[in-house]
Structure formats: structure tokens, C-alpha cells
Amino acid sequence: MTVILDGKKVSSLILEDVKKNISNKKRKLATILVGDNYASELYVNIKKKRCESVGMDFELHKFNSDENQDKVIEQIKKLNDDESVTGILVQLPLPISYDTRKVLDSISPTKDVDGLTSSNLGLLMSNKETIVSCTAKAVITLLDNYNISSEGKHVVIIGHSFLVGRPLAEIFLNRGATVTVCHDRTNDLEKHTQLADILVSATGVSHLIKKEMVKQNTIVVDVGISKKNGKLCGDVDFENVKEKSSFITPVPGGIGPMTVAMLVENLSSM
Ligand code: NAD
């Protein structure tokens, strides 16, 4: 029997918990959005709703896609100095003309709610999990909620971005897993995926992971979000891969809602 890893259910329990245990300190999330990417606007609105649902304030700083990067950095520096702002989030992706690393590193590490500054990523590499990338934390927290340990397991992650694949690889290593990280230049992807006890896919390529690419009883986590024939879908061919998995996340309703809950949880601890 395959168990569906229900991110929607687990995330609402986490949000209820945050709401119950949050201290009286006023918290505010400042979000930077550059351009008018439809998906990014959608994600920002969901983040606003979830923050407000637990009594946190939300503030949006929106820029046109042709805005000079230095203006955005200037705004981030103002937010660093603003005592009413608890956390700062830069909604990714930024326009291709931007130096994403430079923009992220202008966030003060103590306000880096998504754990993406070089400083917080470095701490994670030293096995000090301070503020951890919300999506990476979403994956591990969902597994934890189903008592799935990664210790001693072979975890195969597809995707090597600073947002998902790399921080997640560090978290799994810190927990005693053996980790393989694949990407778009990996030769013979299937050879690697077939060895996975836990397979995490974060590419945005619709239905990249097919049934024949996983071994029986694999635990499958789908981080990817894309559209196929106008429908939201993930990296995993869910209906077919499900038959061979012991646990699997759906898209939507898996890692998406968990990521937002992790953002709120990170903010509540700042
Ligand atoms: P990215 O574009 O920065 O990285 C994509 C990664 O996938 C790269 O490592 C690339 O090498 C790899 N890749 C691309 N095509 C591949 C292929 N054919 N075979 C193997 N590897 C391939 O993207 P990202 O920011 O890391 O996000 C990845 C996906 O996760 C996207 O679909 C994004 O929308 C989604 N995402 C979801 C959440 C969530 O909350 N569910 C959060 C963040 C990102």
C-alpha cells in the first residue's frame, strides 16, 4: 500500500502550532518581488495569506523587471536597518540580468528568512542548521512527520540549485544519509535514480521521473512545479510511479504548502 505524503494536512498542523505558540513579539515579513512573473505573484500572495493567518504582518516591495539591481539592493539594505522588519524574502527567480547571489547576500543573515545568504548556507555546511532554506526544510520536515529516517539510506536528489538541491543534500548528509546529487548534465540519470531509497526531484521538468526509473518501494518526493496541458504537475509521473513507491508526495498538495509553512515557522523563530 502506497502512503501519500500529505503536505497540505501536515502544513496546516504546523501553522496551527505556530499560531498557538508564537510569542507576543510583533513580526513582519518584507518580500521583494521583481517583475510580473505569474507564478511568483501567486506564491507571494499565498505567503502573505499564511503570514497573516498566524498574526504576522506582511509587506510587499514590488519592482518592474527592468529596474536596476542596485535599486533593489538599496531597498534590501533599508529593510535590514528597519527594526519593524523581522525577515526579508527575495522571491526567486530574479530577472536573468541580475546577479542573484549579490542580491541575496545583501540581506542581513539575521533577517534571511529563507536561509539563502552565503553566510547561512555556510553554517549549514558546517552542520549548524540555523535558518535553513524553506523548501529544503519542507522536504525533511514532511519526511520527519511520517517517521521516515534518512540515516544510512541512499538519497538521490535531482537538481543542484542553491534554493533546493544543495541545501537539501547538506541536510541529508548531516543526518547520516549517503547522497547523490544529479543535474541536467548527469549522464544516464536512470542509473542513479534506480539506486535511490529516497528520491527527491527538483527540476521543473514535467514527468521527468517515470515508473521504470525507480526501484520497488522507493520513497519519492516531488518538489518540481510545472504546467502540462494547462494543468499543474510535478517532475514525477505520479499515477504510474505511485504503484512502485512506498511513500510519495502529490503535486499540488505536497512540498508546496510545506514550503510556505516552513517560511512562517522560520519567521516565528526570528
Ligand atoms: P533551477 O532552475 O534553479 O534548478 C533546476 C535544477 O534541475 C538544476 O540543477 C538543473 O541542472 C536540473 N535539471 C533541469 N533539467 C534536468 C533534467 N532534464 N535532468 C536532470 N536535471 C535537470 O530551479 P529551482 O529553483 O531549484 O526549482 C526547481 C523546481 O522546484 C522548479 O519546478 C520550481 O518551481 C520548484 N520549486 C518548488 C517549490 C515548492 O514549494 N514546491 C519551491 C522551490 C522550487
Side-chain angles (χ1 to χ4, degrees), residues 75-90:
Q75 180 62 57
I76 292 174
K77 287 186 174 158
K78 274 190 205 154
L79 295 170
N80 285 339
D81 294 336
D82 182 343
E83 282 182 10
S84 74
V85 172
T86 321
I88 303 169
L89 175 94
V90 173

Side-chain angles (χ1 to χ4, degrees), residues 11 41-42 64 73 102 129 135 152 167 169 193 197 232 255:
S11 65
E41 297 221 3
L42 202 76
N64 292 330
I73 291 178
K102 190 171 175 194
E129 293 184 14
T135 312
T193 58
D197 300 314
L232 197 70
I255 297 304

Side-chain angles (χ1 to χ4, degrees), residues 110-127:
T110 54
K111 292 194 176 184
D112 172 25
V113 69
D114 209 3
L116 295 179
T117 55
S118 299
S119 163
N120 282 323
L121 285 169
L123 283 171
L124 182 59
M125 284 197 77
S126 339
N127 200 357

Side-chain angles (χ1 to χ4, degrees), residues 135 158-161 163-164 183-184 202-205 208 223-225 255-256 259:
T135 312
I158 314 173
H160 69 331
S161 72
L163 182 65
V164 192
H183 45 77
D184 54 356
T203 71
V205 180
L208 173 71
V223 179
I225 302 171
I255 297 304
T259 299

